[in-house]
Amino acid sequence: MPARKASVSAKDVAARAGVSRAAVSRTFTPGASVSEETRSKVIAAAEALGYQVNHLARGLISQKTGIVAVVGADLATPYRSELLRAVTERLQAVGRVAILINTDRSDRSVDMALQQAIRYRAEAAIVLSGMPDKSISDLCHRNGLRLVLINRDDAHSRSIQIRLNDADAARLALTSFLRAGCRTLALATSNAGTPSLVAREEGFFAEAHRRGLSVTCERFGPTGYESGLALGERLLVLPERPDAIFCTTDLIACGVMDAARHRFSLKIPDDLSVIGFDDIPQASWDSYQLTTFRQPIEEIASSAVDWLAEEDGDGEARVIHLTAPMSWRKSVRGSNGK
Amino acid sequence: MPARKASVSAKDVAARAGVSRAAVSRTFTPGASVSEETRSKVIAAAEALGYQVNHLARGLISQKTGIVAVVGADLATPYRSELLRAVTERLQAVGRVAILINTDRSDRSVDMALQQAIRYRAEAAIVLSGMPDKSISDLCHRNGLRLVLINRDDAHSRSIQIRLNDADAARLALTSFLRAGCRTLALATSNAGTPSLVAREEGFFAEAHRRGLSVTCERFGPTGYESGLALGERLLVLPERPDAIFCTTDLIACGVMDAARHRFSLKIPDDLSVIGFDDIPQASWDSYQLTTFRQPIEEIASSAVDWLAEEDGDGEARVIHLTAPMSWRKSVRGSNGK
DNA sequence: ATTTATTTTGCACACGTGTGCAATGTTCTT
DNA sequence: AAGAACATTGCACACGTGTGCAAAATAAAT
């Protein structure tokens, strides 16, 4: 028994169709020269045999693998999973395929992920979280792997970054609180130290400082609902109980709201105003109706994918700025859905 | 200028280390015979050049690509995204890499996804939703692509399926309602017609029929929170208002609960008991405290990945049954967290 | 009916890797 | 010290594909 072949190749199709293997290759290569007759013979044979072009071999020879790596942590989180969906959908739309690499929060694991991307000769890597080390960034450059950094600090060569106006949004959050008549401001965030979280935090503080206001700030745990609960319990027990809390993330905001309602019997927005960030699906649920800033998910995805689809090589470092518009709901006093 | 090479190859490393290319290959192939001396020379050269083994070429020659395709729709949904995370994490742990293929709900798009998986010579495809056509299933078989079907109807050759005891769980939901003293039972589901949803529905009806009880059933829209809202509004307006609603999904349950509370001013569980399915993160949030059935996500993932990692070829059709244990919280009358 | 222009086709090479085979170098046994 | 057992190394082939090049076939022009 002649060692069952794993899959059917162009040679098999060529043999069955009675043509050369090159003819098969040309049939499946857009823009190649094949007569209508042989093409149909080839297609018939391919159909009968169940032939599918081997993209690995194709990528090997043409240097275009069609593979794009998507790298990130906490991919099961509402915002992240939406972003992941948007990115992969768009990648598929331009004929690419996404390989998904989970990381934990450490930068080291991002480095490992990028090395994996290089091994599969990905054309680009879209980094959703974590910051690759400079040496790894160079490694990517040397191996022709282009980088798309979303909400990261600073970029290196042959990569773009996509940034949000986090600080501006935070400023707007503060002024919205003031306009609603809030007096005792607080800020709740995780201690993940992500660039976007830090930017929001700093923006809020900067605006407060500019107006000579003080803000009590509480930091706790990872970025998630449970941390929000804990943050709420810490903030709402203070002698000067805040009447406005800016949460750097919607998940945290949901936790804070639940703590306020179910553990302090406070009414939102009457007793407490809350503003979040991301506009995750839960923010619009009846139980929350959270005023927040909408992540421009589709714009982020299309910016990333368009760049790596069009720019065919000599793309120099670039920064794309996007804005997160405010989404008014009912968690801020006075403004009933604006 | 000599057409800048895209990436560094084993030949480059060999030249720099002063050894043959085969030595380089052996250095990076576990279990191959290389002297400690040449190994260190090779590693040094590889380090200096930033060499990474080309897994595409390796896969081409060894027929082991290390690629596994994950195929599914609604991947941004809480349950699905958790499952996706668990699966990809485990795949990485056994040295595989996941390519992610988004589909819409149509079976046709699943077929397209599987063809894509074949083109990249994936070793296996894990199908989270949708049912591949028989002809495509054969195509996969012929091309050596093994199939893992999660919560699907029936399997073909060289594939396993992973199933849940959906019907049993639904039965248990009904008896739990009765034990809590509920009298007017209802069922809320989407009209997606997914096998798991149908199984839960049928299980609930079967048990009701066995006991001579009647159940009012409402079906609406896609599987999601908004549908839950609509379903709640339809059910709670009935002359014989239900005092117990089994929702085939937690997202639907959240919608139903919000409709009950905010649009009918009902108290849960005093006026209405609710049971869901999936145990998504939101189910344990303070605002919901939803009694539900926990998807054995880690078990599903490990079953799938272990199978395709160990079984090295002649795996015959197999079915794995897993159970979704009940997770008692506070959305059912009487049983305060059990 | 030639000549010329154009399209189609097959051959052969290249991509980057793993590995059998034979040759060479090294260690062990008696 | 000599032979045997063994580890190491390089050569060369294979994997499945795209494509330049020249030959062949076809169409167009005169």
Side-chain angles (χ1 to χ4, degrees):
Chain A
M1 179 171 162
R4 183 96 180 79
K5 288 190 50 171
S7 63
V8 28
S9 76
K11 185 158 46 169
D12 305 331
V13 177
R16 170 150 184 154
V19 298
S20 77
R21 191 193 55 76
V24 178
S25 177
R26 283 192 246 265
T27 301
F28 291 100
T29 306
S33 166
V34 216
S35 73
E36 205 47 55
E37 187 190 350
T38 56
R39 149 167 271 126
S40 61
K41 277 197 294 187
V42 167
I43 296 216
E47 191 84 16
L49 263 46
Y51 170 71
Q52 298 284 129
V53 178
N54 187 332
H55 271 47
L56 304 186
R58 171 181 281 183
L60 192 57
I61 188 72
S62 69
Q63 310 281 25
K64 298 271 172 194
T65 60
I67 296 178
V68 174
V70 181
V71 178
D74 299 323
L75 263 24
T77 267
Y79 158 59
R80 285 282 172 66
S81 62
E82 280 291 351
L83 183 54
L84 177 61
R85 177 201 55 73
V87 166
T88 54
E89 266 180 11
R90 285 200 142 79
L91 284 176
Q92 288 172 232
V94 296
R96 304 298 201 281
V97 62
I99 83 177
L100 178 56
I101 308 183
N102 253 299
T103 66
D104 53 35
R105 275 91 167 193
S106 75
D107 287 346
R108 173 92 190 104
S109 87
V110 175
D111 295 347
M112 304 265 305
L114 288 177
Q115 294 188 35
Q116 183 79 323
I118 293 175
R119 289 190 213 106
Y120 280 93
R121 294 303 186 265
E123 299 175 3
I126 302 178
V127 182
L128 305 184
S129 56
M131 191 62 197
D133 189 77
K134 179 76 170 69
S135 67
I136 298 290
S137 174
D138 286 346
L139 187 68
C140 294
H141 183 78
R142 229 179 321 176
N143 283 284
L145 178 68
R146 305 158 74 196
L147 254 35
V148 179
L149 305 176
I150 296 184
N151 281 333
R152 296 300 108 192
D153 274 344
D154 60 346
H156 314 313
S157 61
R158 216 164 126 76
S159 66
I160 66 165
Q161 24 173 347
I162 300 177
R163 283 194 196 163
L164 242 54
N165 61 338
D166 293 291
D168 295 344
R171 283 198 174 82
L172 179 53
L174 189 138
T175 58
S176 302
F177 280 146
L178 294 183
R179 200 171 306 139
C182 301
R183 292 276 157 257
T184 322
L185 307 180
L187 183 145
T189 187
S190 72
N191 49 32
T194 302
S196 358
L197 298 190
V198 171
R200 289 165 206 167
E201 186 181 328
E202 289 179 350
F204 199 78
F205 277 120
E207 183 66 18
H209 185 260
R210 202 177 68 80
R211 292 167 177 266
L213 300 173
S214 77
V215 173
T216 70
C217 168
E218 199 71 46
R219 258 177 283 268
F220 178 77
T223 310
Y225 173 85
E226 283 77 13
S227 298
L229 276 183
L231 286 164
E233 292 196 324
R234 289 189 184 190
L235 283 170
L236 297 172
V237 89
L238 293 178
E240 281 218 61
R241 180 158 58 71
D243 60 355
I245 305 181
F246 176 52
C247 305
T248 52
T249 277
D250 277 2
L251 279 179
I252 292 176
C254 288
V256 166
M257 290 177 79
D258 277 353
R261 283 174 175 157
H262 303 120
R263 305 188 181 180
F264 293 85
S265 302
L266 298 180
K267 293 233 171 281
I268 295 173
D270 303 329
D271 305 325
L272 175 69
S273 293
V274 178
I275 295 182
F277 202 108
D278 283 348
D279 200 11
I280 62 178
Q282 288 75 27
S284 67
W285 287 10
D286 270 24
S287 285
Y288 297 99
Q289 286 294 325
L290 175 64
T291 291
T292 184
F293 296 89
R294 185 177 67 77
Q295 284 270 7
I297 290 184
E298 298 300 333
E299 290 88 336
I300 294 175
S302 72
S303 300
V305 174
D306 290 353
W307 178 75
L308 63 86
E310 73 189 23
E311 206 118 15
D312 279 341
D314 56 347
E316 219 20 64
R318 201 163 97 195
V319 181
I320 295 179
H321 287 275
L322 296 175
T323 74
M326 200 158 191
S327 181
W328 285 97
R329 296 212 181 83
K330 301 179 180 170
S331 65
V332 174
R333 213 196 301 180
S335 59
N336 261 5
K338 178 85 174 195
Chain B
M1 178 173 161
R4 183 96 180 78
K5 287 190 52 169
S7 62
V8 29
S9 75
K11 187 157 48 167
D12 305 332
V13 177
R16 170 148 185 157
V19 297
S20 76
R21 192 193 54 75
V24 178
S25 177
R26 284 191 246 263
T27 300
F28 291 101
T29 305
S33 167
V34 215
S35 75
E36 205 47 55
E37 187 190 349
T38 56
R39 150 167 271 127
S40 61
K41 278 197 293 187
V42 167
I43 297 218
E47 191 82 17
L49 263 47
Y51 170 70
Q52 298 286 129
V53 178
N54 186 333
H55 272 46
L56 303 187
R58 170 181 282 183
L60 192 57
I61 188 72
S62 68
Q63 310 281 25
K64 298 269 173 196
T65 60
I67 297 178
V68 173
V70 182
V71 178
D74 298 324
L75 262 24
T77 269
Y79 158 59
R80 285 282 171 67
S81 63
E82 281 290 351
L83 184 54
L84 177 62
R85 177 201 55 74
V87 166
T88 54
E89 266 181 10
R90 284 198 141 79
L91 284 176
Q92 288 173 232
V94 296
R96 305 296 203 280
V97 63
I99 81 176
L100 178 56
I101 310 183
N102 253 299
T103 65
D104 53 35
R105 275 92 166 192
S106 75
D107 288 345
R108 173 90 191 105
S109 87
V110 176
D111 295 348
M112 303 265 305
L114 288 177
Q115 294 188 35
Q116 183 80 322
I118 293 176
R119 288 190 216 108
Y120 280 93
R121 295 303 185 262
E123 299 175 4
I126 301 178
V127 181
L128 306 185
S129 56
M131 190 64 195
D133 190 77
K134 180 73 170 71
S135 68
I136 298 289
S137 173
D138 286 347
L139 187 68
C140 294
H141 183 77
R142 228 178 322 175
N143 283 283
L145 179 68
R146 305 158 73 198
L147 252 36
V148 178
L149 306 176
I150 297 183
N151 282 332
R152 295 298 110 194
D153 275 343
D154 61 346
H156 314 311
S157 61
R158 217 163 125 76
S159 67
I160 66 166
Q161 22 171 349
I162 299 176
R163 282 195 196 162
L164 242 52
N165 61 338
D166 294 290
D168 295 344
R171 283 197 174 84
L172 179 53
L174 189 137
T175 59
S176 302
F177 280 147
L178 294 183
R179 200 169 306 139
C182 300
R183 293 277 154 256
T184 320
L185 307 180
L187 184 145
T189 187
S190 73
N191 50 31
T194 302
S196 1
L197 298 190
V198 171
R200 290 165 205 166
E201 186 181 329
E202 289 178 352
F204 199 78
F205 277 121
E207 183 65 18
H209 184 260
R210 202 176 68 79
R211 293 168 178 264
L213 301 173
S214 79
V215 172
T216 70
C217 169
E218 199 71 45
R219 256 178 285 267
F220 177 77
T223 310
Y225 173 86
E226 284 77 12
S227 298
L229 275 183
L231 287 163
E233 292 196 324
R234 289 189 186 189
L235 284 169
L236 298 172
V237 87
L238 294 177
E240 282 218 60
R241 180 158 59 70
D243 59 356
I245 304 182
F246 175 51
C247 305
T248 53
T249 275
D250 277 2
L251 279 179
I252 293 177
C254 288
V256 167
M257 289 177 80
D258 278 352
R261 283 174 174 158
H262 303 120
R263 305 190 181 178
F264 292 87
S265 301
L266 299 179
K267 292 232 172 280
I268 295 173
D270 304 328
D271 304 325
L272 175 69
S273 293
V274 178
I275 296 182
F277 203 108
D278 283 347
D279 199 11
I280 62 177
Q282 288 74 30
S284 67
W285 285 10
D286 270 23
S287 285
Y288 298 99
Q289 286 294 325
L290 175 64
T291 291
T292 184
F293 295 91
R294 185 177 65 79
Q295 283 271 7
I297 291 184
E298 297 300 333
E299 291 88 335
I300 294 174
S302 71
S303 301
V305 174
D306 290 353
W307 178 75
L308 63 85
E310 73 188 26
E311 207 119 14
D312 278 341
D314 55 347
E316 219 20 63
R318 200 162 99 195
V319 182
I320 293 179
H321 287 276
L322 295 176
T323 73
M326 200 158 190
S327 181
W328 284 97
R329 296 210 183 85
K330 303 180 178 169
S331 66
V332 174
R333 211 196 304 179
S335 59
N336 260 5
K338 177 86 172 193

